[in-house]
């Protein structure tokens, strides 16, 4: 249960202001079909985070416990720094009306999530916890928790949130997890 809850919390906070959340806002504004957009986000996230979870699990089995502890601790600290750098919507392409809203969302979200903070966090969490299904379920739930309101309420929410504080909170959470991993290992 810890793997699920930690994954949900870290990814939900880490997703706020992320490029994929900006993509969700853009898709919602463009297509105004929230159910199709949310279904596309869910399918893309499950596929992407399942892949990340398997990679994280393989990394954990490949490395010994001591190397894994250092790699994970430093990775979480790097994620903390990365969280302080806000994403931009520069390269998000939402062209593709002929595919339909669901397929366009699914493809765009899957590609945008590749190498994204939340995907890397899922790899690290799956390596830390020996519970890949709980991590993937948690990271998917966290991503949905952050994106469903973005799809439904859009910019009304974004205008009320201080992205700087959200990013600082996420950075602090990753930093704490990094320090705990370095100090206490995987336990």
């Amino acid at each position: 249960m810890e793997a699920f809850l930690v994954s949900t919390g870290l990814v939900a906070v880490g997703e706020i202001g992320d490029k994929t959340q900006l993509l969700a806002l853009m898709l919602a504004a463009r297509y105004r079909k929230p159910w199709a957009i949310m279904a596309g986000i869910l399918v893309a996230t499950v596929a992407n985070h399942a892949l990340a979870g398997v990679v994280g699990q393989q990394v954990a089995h490949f490395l010994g416990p001591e190397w894994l502890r250092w790699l994970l601790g430093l990775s979480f600290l790097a994620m903390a720094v990365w969280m302080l750098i806000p994403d931009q919507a520069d390269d998000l392409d939402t062209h593709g009306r002929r595919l339909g809203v669901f397929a366009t969302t699914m493809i765009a979200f899957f590609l945008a999530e590749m190498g994204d903070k939340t995907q890397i966090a899922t790899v690290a969490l799956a390596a830390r916890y020996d519970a890949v299904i709980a991590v993937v379920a948690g990271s998917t739930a966290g991503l949905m928790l952050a994106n469903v309101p973005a799809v439904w309420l859009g910019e009304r929410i974004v205008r009320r949130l201080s992205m700087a504080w959200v990013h600082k909170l996420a950075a602090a959470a990753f930093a704490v997890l990094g320090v705990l991993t370095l100090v206490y290992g995987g336990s």
Side-chain angles (χ1 to χ4, degrees):
M1 194 64 170
E2 178 184 349
F4 175 81
L5 294 173
V6 169
S7 299
T8 300
L10 281 176
V11 170
V13 173
E15 179 67 10
I16 297 173
D18 192 72
K19 71 181 173 195
T20 48
Q21 188 180 50
L22 298 173
L23 176 61
L25 285 167
M26 289 171 36
L27 290 165
R30 180 177 212 174
Y31 294 114
R32 301 196 191 282
K33 300 221 182 257
W35 291 107
I37 293 167
M38 288 185 308
I41 291 170
L42 178 62
V43 170
T45 302
V46 168
N48 193 291
H49 288 202
L51 176 65
V54 169
V55 168
Q57 191 176 43
Q58 293 304 311
V59 166
H61 291 300
F62 178 73
L63 298 175
E66 191 62 24
W67 280 102
L68 182 62
R69 178 174 69 96
W70 283 99
L71 177 67
L72 291 176
L74 295 174
S75 294
F76 285 128
L77 292 174
M79 288 296 297
V81 172
W82 194 4
M83 287 306 306
L84 297 174
I85 304 168
D87 283 326
Q88 301 296 319
D90 300 350
D91 301 323
L92 300 177
D93 182 13
T94 58
H95 301 297
R97 291 180 188 259
R98 66 180 169 262
L99 292 176
V101 176
F102 171 78
T104 299
T105 300
M106 185 179 64
I107 292 166
F109 227 84
F110 184 85
L111 294 175
E113 190 66 14
M114 294 300 288
D116 194 55
K117 294 171 196 158
T118 52
Q119 185 193 42
I120 306 263
T122 302
V123 170
L125 288 162
R128 184 182 192 286
Y129 294 102
D130 191 25
V132 70
I133 292 172
V135 168
V136 171
S139 66
T140 299
L143 196 131
M144 294 306 289
L145 279 171
N147 283 298
V148 166
V151 171
W152 281 103
L153 301 174
E155 294 198 27
R156 286 179 280 173
I157 288 177
V158 173
R159 278 185 272 146
R160 294 182 184 265
L161 288 177
S162 166
M163 286 300 122
W165 281 105
V166 170
H167 284 279
K168 288 175 186 173
L169 176 64
F174 278 110
V176 166
L177 191 55
V179 169
L180 288 174
T181 299
L182 289 171
V183 172
Y184 296 108
S187 56

